[in-house]
Amino acid sequence: MMDLFAKRSHGHVDHLTQVKAWVRELMDVSPNAAVLVTELRCTEPGCPPLETVIAILEDAVAPRQYTLHRAVADVTRQDIADSAAPTRRG
């Protein structure tokens, strides 16, 4: 069972903040948008043990959601750039 209230290391929080900054930089996110980054465990067959879900919530724009099949700690700037490429607004 996952403990939703378990304390995270300072390094985890720092990387989570960095991932959010990359999302804002690379995914054309308005300053007022909410960027949510969540690490989830999956117990279904064929599912990676951890995945990172990124949600962008903006006024007057449909929510955007991206799933990366890796833990938050393993997410790189390039992962965010690759996710942004097909959806970048022009």
Side-chain angles (χ1 to χ4, degrees):
M1 175 182 251
M2 187 166 104
D3 181 0
L4 296 175
F5 302 103
K7 290 196 177 209
R8 300 288 185 157
S9 71
H10 187 65
H12 178 83
V13 173
D14 287 347
H15 192 68
L16 191 62
T17 300
Q18 181 63 67
V19 170
K20 288 180 180 182
W22 290 332
V23 168
R24 287 190 178 282
E25 172 192 350
L26 298 169
M27 291 189 163
D28 191 28
V29 177
S30 71
N32 296 330
V35 175
L36 309 171
V37 179
T38 307
E39 183 178 90
L40 302 173
R41 291 190 189 280
C42 183
T43 57
E44 296 180 23
C47 185
L50 291 174
E51 60 186 17
T52 299
V53 177
I54 298 167
I56 302 168
L57 309 173
E58 298 179 90
D59 291 338
V61 178
R64 294 182 275 166
Q65 182 174 311
Y66 307 88
T67 301
L68 302 170
H69 297 286
R70 61 184 52 47
V72 169
D74 298 330
V75 172
T76 66
R77 185 179 189 281
Q78 188 61 50
D79 291 328
I80 304 302
D82 292 346
S83 295
T87 61
R88 189 175 286 277
R89 292 187 226 163

